[in-house]
Amino acid sequence: MKNIAYDQVRITGGFWKTKQEMLLNTSRSVYDRFAETYRFEAENVKGWLDRLLAEGSAASTDRPRVPHIFWDSDVAKWIEGTAYLIKIAQAWDLTPDQQDELLALEQICDDTIDTICENADENGYFNSHFQITEALGEARRFTDRSQHELYCAGHLIEAALAYQKATGKDKLLRQMIRYADYIDRVFHIENSAVFETPGHPELELALVKLAHFTEEEKYLDLAKWFIDHHGDSSKDIPPYDVFNNRYNQDEMPLRKRTTADGHSVRAMYLLSGMIDVAARYQDASLMDACRRLYDNVVNHRMYITGGIGSTHIGEAFTIDYHLPSRTAYSETCAAIALAQVCGRMIGASTANTGEDGPAVSVPLLSSYADTLERTMYNGILSGISLDGTGFFYENPLTIDLRFNDPNVSTKDKEYYPETTRRKVFSCSCCPPNVLRFYASLGDYLYSVDEDTLYVHQYMESEASLPSLKVCQKTDYPASGRINLTIRREDPAIRRIALRLPSWCEHFKLYLPYEQKNGYLYVDLSDETTIELDLGMPIRFVSADPRVHDALGKVAVSRGPVIYALEGKDQPDIDIHRFLIDPSAGASPGPVLSGFLLPSIEAEGVLPLPYEDSAAGDLFPGGDRDTELYRSFDPSAFRKVRVRLIPYYAFANRGSSDLTVWIRVK
Amino acid sequence: MKNIAYDQVRITGGFWKTKQEMLLNTSRSVYDRFAETYRFEAENVKGWLDRLLAEGSAASTDRPRVPHIFWDSDVAKWIEGTAYLIKIAQAWDLTPDQQDELLALEQICDDTIDTICENADENGYFNSHFQITEALGEARRFTDRSQHELYCAGHLIEAALAYQKATGKDKLLRQMIRYADYIDRVFHIENSAVFETPGHPELELALVKLAHFTEEEKYLDLAKWFIDHHGDSSKDIPPYDVFNNRYNQDEMPLRKRTTADGHSVRAMYLLSGMIDVAARYQDASLMDACRRLYDNVVNHRMYITGGIGSTHIGEAFTIDYHLPSRTAYSETCAAIALAQVCGRMIGASTANTGEDGPAVSVPLLSSYADTLERTMYNGILSGISLDGTGFFYENPLTIDLRFNDPNVSTKDKEYYPETTRRKVFSCSCCPPNVLRFYASLGDYLYSVDEDTLYVHQYMESEASLPSLKVCQKTDYPASGRINLTIRREDPAIRRIALRLPSWCEHFKLYLPYEQKNGYLYVDLSDETTIELDLGMPIRFVSADPRVHDALGKVAVSRGPVIYALEGKDQPDIDIHRFLIDPSAGASPGPVLSGFLLPSIEAEGVLPLPYEDSAAGDLFPGGDRDTELYRSFDPSAFRKVRVRLIPYYAFANRGSSDLTVWIRVK
């Protein structure tokens, strides 16, 4: 199966067109914040060193003395995302101002690429942190796996490939090929670096992309070499140490892993590389490990939003079914990484899953696209504000503002996630990652294999291949009605497979179909028109009861979108005290400004604080009405109606209480 | 109102007689553990210094170089508790072995007192930590409020008074009077110490006791001086710092305080001293503050077990209604301190509460004895094992053993309380505190004022005053049937007031009575026999819904005793997943060995893990049976019966899952 790439797919309207257009704000805002925090300046290594020399001891106190180890990756992801944006915007009706803006962004990319290329070593090495620390006689290159050195290289390779594909300009790509050759020599051929595999995976998947583009087998071999050697250098680090082998994805050889552990972004970036390598080498044991890890994440360690990472400590997975809502880490980048895993799993699948060995249970094919849809509408989208310029690094499922009280939380005390969106973070991986993910969203809609066109995601769009053209008309997910027109150029493409989302309860399709692997297979003629209606049911969803944090609670969803109670919409109600009544149903409410999808109205009860309640007055006249504990009285409540909003829109009206999981009355 | 002291009250049978007899084990075990951890050796300051000198650089690595700042208080509380035990055991039928043991314990007390007196400075100063560090040219006395120096002095004063009362031997008391005079001179008269008030309150209440015994006003004045000056030396410490002014009970002048904040033991020891001083000086504004703080604790910040302290960070109170079960700190010593507060509030009350000013709402008189009973049967008693030798410092309301996984908890990671009882801790304040509390439990049973005998607690006992003798026959809390015989010597005592516990739903009393302030007032003749039956109802209790952690849940209680689900009793059930059905009722079950009170059997349902459930199979044949999230189906459960045990008995059969709050079906 081959995924149709974003540059052959146009998102032509609806929800995601609006979101993609918003990315113009995102690219500019992220650039501005990165520029004012010296990230772009740092790419001029020589200039930075000259300035240090000139300033001497009068150095600025505001600017860090040497660039942060992450900064090159921040710039790289911004270039990559902006490249996708430049490409997709070519098909848009742009205003003159927007056209100027795109040209300006492209100019920034060109200038930055010039700077990087001027400052790279002759052998291709480029890393602003290490080049500067080396010149200052401090840290040396390739001596410390934890310094994100190969991670930055991987992101620069991805940026170079994206920019070449979007603009045809290959200056950065040629530079990064030299760098990749240098890494190959040092790590693989000479094996002379102090460490063996990246502490933060990313380079592996970038090398596979590079191999694909250059058709150079050696980059694939290098990626495989890294994959094969993760786990070799395990050190005796106590399990209680945050930065242990699990954190570094180095606990054991990857083929032996059965659970997704440690730093969740690292785990998923590495899994992406593993899938790529397993698929290219037809490596069954590695693919088995990939399926096991995917299954472990999606069926045991994933929030209902598609977020992953249950603790901020080590930004890590914890154990099966441990999915705390309030202290959820659920980093935006981790959900993006999971989406990338899903896309790769689709690309690595055959229609007839389950045939390549009984060792591992093979997920239903549609699971990958289901999970991708889950992340896309929830755990990733919550990471960016409605205007495209405010971000969350963590995406909690519950916010109780009372717990921000310094007597309870933060700093030296208990940890709770931030409740206010920010324009930039000191570790600012998420903002450009959201940019590049949504700008290349077209990557995840369609696949083809030898005889079938797969429709994984529903959105107003067109795809164009030599063998076929597909036009999808829909207002999904406002409704579940989808109209598909497929014009076939190659009669080998004999059918279309339409994903039946896991949330779909009833669908309408008035053509003959076969249901298999979570898809509806319909035969194609040279021109076929298909009307599919998936409905858009509002559902009360519960978690496996082993998820103790969600026990006795439901979440409300509408189609793929998870909803949440936010304090803003019910200022008189303590939302954490509200008990929902699923038997009373729920109905769509108004579309709030900028929210794009309807709110949901539901009913339930609010248990009364004991001082308001008449119950338990054993001693009339006595001052017992503030007692904390009383005989259970299920009737001591008042009925209330509440409004839920799409989870992705939380904290767009300032900090507010929030909850996804709602106790059932 | 005057509380009748423990040495005029005999606990003659039943639950508490058994517990008091167990304290022989406790005294010996705590002594052995303290001796082997050098605590008793440290009292020989000169010997310790001689050894250090002799060892030179070859010093033992096992033994700390200098005694810990807490150690003197550990020894003092052990002497105090053992003194009470020696006194109450005089009335017991002892075996010859037990008699020998008591003599041996008294000999240890005598020897230790000799050592302390030999090592004290001429001016009375005794502190093993500071005398040794001073001799070594290191830390100096009275320079650092955080070093528990005056706290140790307070406990030594309490020990000296207890030992004098129990044995008539006043050697330690004479020594401690000299020390108290020295403290008075340095802190009060000369005001020459570096700090003004104790960082860890305790001395205040000890000084009031000393003043009472010696009839020396100056100790009371010194106590008041400290009380008046707490809050004077507030420093500019950020609120996020754990060891801030709140922690040290120094945020503001005590009369201005409205909430109980900071370190919970410190807050309650200080409140004890405040009540004592307010009562002795008839200080209405200080008593108002005491009532406000009591109300804040009991009606807003107290666990259902009577435990207090919602976070391990700073061992502190947090905010109203923040009572997390799993990370409850709920230190044993804090519940003891709350019980002491209750006893003092009773002693400071008049029968006609509410008359001394409308500024503060005055708690119902019975509230104090209710709270005391709550701590006595639950949050304190859980701190000691059934055999009297194993202890908890923290008393969580929920234990989920899965969270001890190093991927989730402890050390650098998230914090969870210990799940196994220990014989001694490095900070071992709780074990001797439990000893002294339960050995002097008789202090809390009865009070008299000018015309009324108050019965606050029900247990098989006799009290003897010149004015009256009372004999209480009961198997309480096995049942609620109580038989009281009162022989009156002084006709001024015209009535008896019987507390009606807050948990009591129906009572039987076939004599004329007046109900007021939570007590039943019955007129006395020269010899009166009263039959009172309070019942012993099993109840489902809920928390004020603002306690989010307990929302939608109930606890099960029987009379004053809070029950809990422990994993040991239902090995096939995940107790954290169990949903109880209050409408199915609950009934007493067998008395487990050593548990003294019946277990309780209840019914409910266990939601099925999704892999066992037939629901949600939208795609027959597809591998969807481990999906985490599904449409809510309230019928996907199986019925189960569970057994609950008294909370105080948890973790007596090894580590186990535990929960007090149980979700309602």
Side-chain angles (χ1 to χ4, degrees), chain A residues 239-242 244 246 261-262 295 297-304 310-313 317-324 326-327 361-364 366-367 370 374 400 402-414 416 500-505 515 518-519 539-549 551-554 574 576-579 582 607-611 618-624 626-633 661 663-664, chain B residues 239-242 244 246 261-262 295 297-304 310-313 317-324 326-327 361-364 366-367 370 374 400 402-414 416 500-505 515 518-519 539-549 551-554 574 576-579 582 607-611 618-624 626-633 661 663-664:
Chain A
Y240 289 105
D241 191 303
V242 173
N244 58 16
R246 291 194 155 196
D261 293 309
D295 171 77
V297 171
V298 170
N299 291 319
H300 301 83
R301 300 185 174 196
M302 179 183 73
Y303 287 94
I304 192 170
S310 297
T311 177
H312 71 103
I313 303 163
F317 290 106
T318 56
I319 55 176
D320 288 355
Y321 304 112
H322 178 242
L323 294 163
R326 199 172 63 223
T327 56
S361 111
V362 175
L364 201 65
S366 64
S367 164
D370 278 344
R374 188 184 290 280
D400 188 334
R402 298 187 312 170
F403 292 113
N404 282 10
D405 186 294
N407 284 303
V408 180
S409 71
T410 69
K411 287 239 181 128
D412 298 305
K413 304 208 175 181
E414 268 190 72
Y416 296 102
L500 191 52
S502 64
W503 51 261
C504 176
E505 294 176 335
Q515 186 174 331
Y519 286 75
R539 298 196 309 154
F540 298 96
V541 180
S542 56
D544 186 299
R546 287 169 292 194
V547 181
H548 293 165
D549 203 78
L551 186 64
K553 302 179 185 175
V554 291
D574 174 1
H576 302 293
R577 197 155 26 108
F578 173 70
L579 307 177
L608 299 179
Y610 283 177
E611 63 197 20
L618 187 62
F619 300 108
D623 182 15
R624 292 171 62 83
T626 56
E627 279 273 349
L628 266 178
Y629 305 106
R630 284 202 183 155
S631 284
F632 174 60
D633 174 6
W661 291 110
R663 286 179 180 75
V664 173
Chain B
Y240 289 105
D241 192 303
V242 172
N244 58 15
R246 292 194 154 193
D261 292 309
D295 171 75
V297 171
V298 169
N299 291 319
H300 301 83
R301 303 187 174 194
M302 178 184 72
Y303 287 93
I304 192 171
S310 297
T311 178
H312 71 103
I313 302 163
F317 290 105
T318 57
I319 55 175
D320 288 356
Y321 306 112
H322 179 242
L323 294 162
R326 199 171 63 222
T327 55
S361 110
V362 175
L364 201 67
S366 64
S367 164
D370 278 345
R374 189 185 288 279
D400 188 333
R402 298 185 314 170
F403 292 113
N404 282 9
D405 186 294
N407 283 302
V408 181
S409 70
T410 69
K411 288 235 180 135
D412 298 305
K413 304 210 173 179
E414 268 192 70
Y416 295 102
L500 191 50
S502 63
W503 51 260
C504 175
E505 295 175 333
Q515 187 174 330
Y519 286 75
R539 297 196 310 153
F540 298 97
V541 180
S542 56
D544 186 299
R546 288 169 290 194
V547 181
H548 292 167
D549 203 77
L551 185 64
K553 302 179 187 177
V554 291
D574 174 1
H576 302 292
R577 195 153 28 105
F578 173 70
L579 307 176
L608 299 179
Y610 284 176
E611 64 197 21
L618 186 60
F619 301 109
D623 183 13
R624 292 172 60 84
T626 56
E627 279 274 349
L628 267 177
Y629 305 107
R630 285 203 184 155
S631 285
F632 175 59
D633 174 5
W661 292 110
R663 285 178 181 75
V664 173

Side-chain angles (χ1 to χ4, degrees), chain B residues 540-594:
Chain B
F540 298 97
V541 180
S542 56
D544 186 299
R546 288 169 290 194
V547 181
H548 292 167
D549 203 77
L551 185 64
K553 302 179 187 177
V554 291
V556 179
S557 67
R558 182 175 177 277
V561 180
I562 305 298
Y563 278 66
L565 269 180
E566 200 175 37
K568 290 279 179 206
D569 297 297
Q570 27 271 324
D572 300 332
I573 291 176
D574 174 1
I575 60 165
H576 302 292
R577 195 153 28 105
F578 173 70
L579 307 176
I580 200 165
D581 181 2
S583 71
S587 51
V591 178
L592 302 183
S593 170

